[in-house]
């Protein structure tokens, strides 16, 4: 990571004046200092989760290379409180980063609160909708991408049994489950789907590879031969278990698991991945601030717009690509409506 340039003396003076004004009763915490670049607040698992945090980081990397911006990235820990998230976002805004981006639905409420305190800073939140004139709410059609994964799973399964593992049983991850199950059943109604979660309401579900490994082994023991895991960094544990049993496939999520260096030794067992282009959304909001036209409101990245897709790395779905493309077309033209809840 490149070292952030120190604020010039003139900017310090400006910040001091702003502080004085605030002390005299001004409500805003804006410092008015130099924009130091993009501030990114990761969810649990951090940058190297092989999933959506990693995708967000790629968006920042691209912004550094193409736009010349600096950055600072901070990572959440397991079992955090709302106050922890608010403090992380506040520290980035107070330091002069703009935009400030929270990666993950857990930042929804904290973004809403902190954005009010820094009206001149653009905030963005991934996977949640937060009100605010200076907030970019970034949402994706995970259920549509997961439908395609279900199509692929049904077509590639030899046992007629497939599995879905979710990190945490909440509305967001249920979208992945619902799309996957529908895709399987629309393709081959007799295929059995095992759908299970690592945790009911603990964010550790996105950062517990051992739990996912155990859950995947249980499904493999019941003859599931294709398993789709939507659980952030935990997914690495599931893929490890799957790779140990010949003739079985894992499906990655958010990032292209086949292309992840940390999963390279398992790549021959990675059938495909439901790619969620968080990197594109992050780059879009950084560029909008750089251009002086900040994105705000709710911005949806759908299958039709390329917000989600099914990875083709490894060539393992080449033989069924025609059926996958046909399913995609039906979603885009409205012939198939994908459910967002099981």
């Amino acid at each position: 990571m490149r070292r952030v340039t120190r604020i010039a003396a003139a900017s310090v003076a400006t910040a001091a004046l702003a502080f004085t004004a605030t002390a005299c009763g001004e409500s805003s915490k804006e410092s008015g200092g130099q924009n130091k670049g993009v501030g990114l607040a990761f969810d649990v698992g951090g940058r190297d989760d092989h999933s959506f945090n990693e995708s967000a980081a790629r968006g920042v990397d691209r912004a550094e290379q193409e736009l010349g911006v600096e950055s600072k990235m901070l990572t959440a820990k397991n079992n955090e409180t709302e106050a922890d998230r608010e403090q992380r976002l506040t520290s980035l805004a107070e330091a002069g980063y703009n935009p400030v981006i929270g990666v993950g639905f857990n930042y929804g409420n904290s973004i809403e609160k902190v954005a009010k305190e820094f009206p001149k800073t653009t905030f963005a939140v991934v996977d949640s909708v937060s009100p605010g004139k200076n907030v970019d709410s970034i949402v994706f059609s995970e259920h549509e991408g997961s439908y395609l994964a279900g199509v692929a799973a049904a077509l590639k399964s030899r046992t007629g049994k497939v599995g879905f593992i979710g990190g945490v049983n909440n509305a967001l991850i249920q979208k992945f489950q619902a799309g996957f199950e529908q895709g399987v059943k629309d393709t081959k109604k007799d295929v059995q789907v095992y759908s299970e979660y690592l945790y009911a309401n603990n964010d550790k579900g996105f950062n517990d590879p051992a739990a996912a490994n155990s859950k995947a082994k249980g499904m493999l023991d019941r003859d599931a031969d294709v398993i789709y895991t939507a659980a952030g960094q935990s997914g690495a544990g599931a893929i490890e278990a799957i790779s140990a049993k010949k003739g079985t496939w894992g499906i990655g999520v958010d990032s292209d698991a086949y292309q992840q260096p940390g999963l390279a030794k398992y790549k021959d067992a990675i059938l495909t991945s439901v790619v969620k282009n968080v990197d594109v959304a992050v780059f879009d909001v950084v560029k909008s601030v750089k251009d002086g036209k900040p994105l705000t409101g709710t911005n949806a990245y759908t299958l039709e717009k390329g917000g989600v897709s099914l990875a083709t790395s490894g060539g393992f779905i080449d033989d069924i690509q025609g059926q996958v493309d046909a399913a995609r077309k039906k979603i885009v033209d409205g012939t198939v409506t994908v459910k967002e809840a099981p």
Side-chain angles (χ1 to χ4, degrees):
M1 191 68 62
R2 292 175 290 175
R3 186 178 299 277
V4 177
T5 305
R6 292 186 177 180
I7 300 175
S11 296
V12 174
T14 303
L17 289 172
F19 176 79
T20 302
T22 302
C24 293
E26 189 174 306
S27 60
S28 172
K29 293 183 180 179
E30 299 288 353
S31 70
Q34 176 182 337
N35 181 3
K36 295 174 71 174
V38 55
L40 193 72
F42 289 123
D43 204 343
V44 292
R47 174 173 185 138
D48 297 323
D49 68 344
H50 314 302
S51 189
F52 77 126
N53 282 326
E54 170 63 27
S55 183
R58 289 198 302 272
V60 173
D61 291 344
R62 179 185 170 193
E64 288 182 341
Q65 294 167 5
E66 296 185 18
L67 306 177
V69 302
E70 302 285 349
S71 70
K72 184 171 184 178
M73 302 183 190
L74 301 176
T75 301
K77 301 180 293 294
N78 290 337
N79 302 313
E80 284 198 335
T81 65
E82 198 65 34
D84 292 328
R85 289 185 283 272
E86 290 173 8
Q87 190 280 328
R88 183 175 300 110
L89 297 169
T90 299
S91 69
L92 291 169
E94 285 182 336
Y97 291 96
N98 184 18
V100 173
I101 304 170
V103 184
F105 62 89
N106 278 328
Y107 284 102
N109 292 333
S110 49
I111 286 279
E112 179 181 356
K113 181 177 180 180
V114 177
K116 293 177 182 177
E117 301 173 358
F118 297 88
K120 295 180 182 178
T121 298
T122 296
F123 290 80
V125 57
V126 178
D127 289 341
S128 183
V129 175
S130 296
K133 295 181 179 180
N134 57 328
V135 178
D136 176 23
S137 296
I138 300 167
V139 295
F140 294 85
S141 296
E142 298 92 351
H143 53 305
E144 294 178 343
S146 297
Y147 182 98
L148 300 184
V151 172
L155 292 171
K156 298 294 281 192
S157 176
R158 295 180 179 179
T159 64
K161 297 176 182 179
V162 302
F164 169 81
I165 299 173
V168 180
N169 193 354
N170 58 35
L172 175 65
I173 306 304
Q174 287 173 7
K175 288 175 69 179
F176 291 87
Q177 177 191 348
F180 181 70
E181 290 176 343
Q182 186 179 344
V184 170
K185 293 298 183 179
D186 283 358
T187 305
K188 288 187 178 182
K189 64 181 180 180
D190 293 332
V191 172
Q192 184 175 357
V193 185
Y194 304 126
S195 292
E196 299 177 9
Y197 285 85
L198 301 181
Y199 293 88
N201 56 10
N202 189 330
D203 294 340
K204 187 179 179 181
F206 300 117
N207 190 26
D208 193 345
N213 184 286
S214 178
K215 186 72 73 176
K217 285 180 178 177
M219 290 185 175
L220 293 168
D221 287 343
R222 285 176 282 160
D223 291 329
D225 60 350
V226 184
I227 299 175
Y228 173 35
T229 307
Q233 189 176 34
S234 298
I239 289 174
E240 179 184 18
I242 293 161
S243 70
K245 185 172 182 178
K246 187 176 180 179
T248 63
W249 293 106
I251 297 178
V253 75
D254 295 339
S255 289
D256 185 347
Y258 185 90
Q259 299 289 351
Q260 292 297 304
L263 299 175
K265 61 183 175 180
Y266 311 127
K267 66 181 182 180
D268 288 341
I270 299 173
L271 177 64
T272 182
S273 298
V274 177
V275 178
K276 191 160 78 171
N277 290 316
V278 181
D279 55 332
V280 174
V282 166
F283 180 83
D284 285 349
V285 68
V286 176
K287 186 175 188 303
S288 74
V289 172
K290 178 79 171 179
D291 292 344
K293 299 177 181 179
L295 286 171
T296 57
T298 301
N299 289 289
Y301 289 76
T302 64
L303 181 70
E304 180 179 9
K305 295 180 180 179
V308 294
S309 61
L310 200 64
T312 59
S313 300
F316 301 130
I317 63 170
D318 287 355
D319 58 326
I320 60 168
Q321 192 64 54
Q323 291 108 308
V324 172
D325 291 342
R328 182 187 186 282
K329 183 178 184 299
K330 288 179 180 179
I331 295 172
V332 171
D333 67 20
T335 303
V336 170
T337 299
V338 184
K339 296 185 295 184
E340 297 189 34

